[in-house]
Amino acid sequence: MTRIRKWLLLVACCLLVVTGMFMYRWLQQETLSDAEISAIVMERFDPNEIESITYKGDEHVYQLTFLKGSGEYELTLDATSGSIQSLRLLNQRETPLSEKEIEAILLEAYPEQGIEISNMNLQDNRYYVDYSVDGRTGEVEVDAFTGHIIRTSLEEEQAILSPDQAIEIALSEIPGTVEDVEQETRNNRLVYEVELEDTGRDDDALVIIDAYTGEIISVIWD
């Protein structure tokens, strides 16, 4: 075997090793969780509502549908980096929902409350609905195109979780050390933001929790 052939064989072996290492690193990259993908979408698009999240393993992407304004969108994100692969408009409403449709949405959202609607006004693409429950009155604000409930005094009347309760919920999801807890408003929703470190990962976690229901809305890794 000549020196040139030996040199070419050595170069080929080196290329195979480098390629193998690259492929191994690529395969070892972590797939983002549903909560992390949700947090990315909320941060970038601020949607009224995320309707669905589907992980497609064969393509290594997440496909989501969400509502924003008067439109329904389909979004595809890389499952590892969260980068946008595609975004398209699925449906665009030309006219706002009817009062009957808004009433049906509210009755379905709060079946246990027994809401009696007394008045409904459409203003700036939002419905302002006056209601009464057990002799008490209040107001619900609803997006006129998507039906998304923006604000309601029904929820404001509920008991707000204490910071300690929010911390307990966060730690039940992600064990770690509490760095900070704050009450904030995100997308017209009162939430607790619990910062955790020493989570067992290289990143710290920000757990966002509904201040009324205790639902974990999303987890943001930083």
Side-chain angles (χ1 to χ4, degrees), residues 10 24 46 49 82 97 107 139-140 147 149 168 170 175 205 208:
L10 180 61
Y24 176 78
D46 190 23
E49 178 185 349
L97 296 167
L107 292 175
E139 184 183 65
V140 179
I149 298 173
E168 184 178 350
I208 301 172

Side-chain angles (χ1 to χ4, degrees), residues 191-204:
V191 301
Y192 278 107
E193 295 183 352
V194 183
E195 295 181 26
L196 300 175
E197 58 182 13
D198 302 327
T199 61
R201 290 181 40 157
D202 292 336
D203 300 332
D204 295 334

Side-chain angles (χ1 to χ4, degrees), residues 46-51 65-69 71-73 146-148:
D46 190 23
N48 300 114
E49 178 185 349
I50 296 177
E51 295 183 301
T65 57
F66 67 85
L67 301 175
K68 185 174 178 63
E72 180 183 21
Y73 297 85
T146 66
H148 173 68

Side-chain angles (χ1 to χ4, degrees), residues 16-112:
L16 284 173
V17 171
V18 171
T19 302
M21 292 176 63
F22 174 80
M23 290 298 295
Y24 176 78
R25 284 190 174 183
W26 182 79
L27 291 172
Q28 290 300 307
Q29 289 180 322
E30 287 189 20
T31 299
L32 296 171
S33 66
D34 286 10
E36 290 170 319
I37 288 292
S38 296
I40 290 172
V41 174
M42 295 296 291
E43 185 72 25
R44 294 180 184 175
F45 297 96
D46 190 23
N48 300 114
E49 178 185 349
I50 296 177
E51 295 183 301
S52 65
I53 301 178
T54 304
Y55 173 63
K56 295 190 171 183
D58 55 335
E59 301 176 37
H60 198 57
V61 297
Y62 275 98
Q63 195 168 74
L64 303 90
T65 57
F66 67 85
L67 301 175
K68 185 174 178 63
S70 59
E72 180 183 21
Y73 297 85
E74 182 183 79
L75 173 67
T76 303
L77 298 175
D78 183 275
T80 299
S81 65
S83 61
I84 299 172
Q85 303 294 310
S86 67
L87 174 65
R88 67 188 183 98
L89 179 65
L90 296 177
N91 184 39
Q92 181 82 39
R93 287 191 63 92
E94 299 294 335
T95 58
L97 296 167
S98 67
E99 291 189 1
K100 285 187 177 180
E101 288 174 312
I102 293 296
E103 182 175 356
I105 288 170
L106 293 176
L107 292 175
E108 183 179 356
Y110 302 102
E112 72 285 352

Side-chain angles (χ1 to χ4, degrees), residues 60-221:
H60 198 57
V61 297
Y62 275 98
Q63 195 168 74
L64 303 90
T65 57
F66 67 85
L67 301 175
K68 185 174 178 63
S70 59
E72 180 183 21
Y73 297 85
E74 182 183 79
L75 173 67
T76 303
L77 298 175
D78 183 275
T80 299
S81 65
S83 61
I84 299 172
Q85 303 294 310
S86 67
L87 174 65
R88 67 188 183 98
L89 179 65
L90 296 177
N91 184 39
Q92 181 82 39
R93 287 191 63 92
E94 299 294 335
T95 58
L97 296 167
S98 67
E99 291 189 1
K100 285 187 177 180
E101 288 174 312
I102 293 296
E103 182 175 356
I105 288 170
L106 293 176
L107 292 175
E108 183 179 356
Y110 302 102
E112 72 285 352
Q113 300 285 352
I115 295 178
E116 294 183 8
I117 295 173
S118 57
N119 188 37
M120 192 179 300
N121 293 314
L122 176 60
Q123 182 179 351
D124 297 328
N125 296 327
R126 294 185 179 185
Y127 276 103
Y128 295 88
V129 185
D130 295 326
Y131 70 87
S132 61
V133 175
D134 298 331
R136 296 176 290 114
T137 60
E139 184 183 65
V140 179
E141 186 178 341
V142 185
D143 188 293
F145 286 93
T146 66
H148 173 68
I149 298 173
I150 299 169
R151 180 190 61 80
T152 169
S153 56
L154 283 173
E155 293 178 355
E156 292 168 359
E157 293 171 359
Q158 296 174 5
I160 298 176
L161 298 174
S162 68
D164 287 342
Q165 288 174 312
I167 290 171
E168 184 178 350
I169 292 169
L171 291 175
S172 68
E173 178 73 11
I174 301 175
T177 303
V178 178
E179 177 70 15
D180 190 24
V181 56
E182 293 183 359
Q183 194 179 97
E184 301 286 349
T185 300
R186 282 180 172 245
N187 301 314
N188 299 300
R189 190 174 184 179
L190 189 64
V191 301
Y192 278 107
E193 295 183 352
V194 183
E195 295 181 26
L196 300 175
E197 58 182 13
D198 302 327
T199 61
R201 290 181 40 157
D202 292 336
D203 300 332
D204 295 334
L206 179 65
V207 185
I208 301 172
I209 301 168
D210 188 291
Y212 294 102
T213 66
E215 173 195 356
I216 296 177
I217 300 170
S218 61
V219 178
I220 301 173
W221 295 94

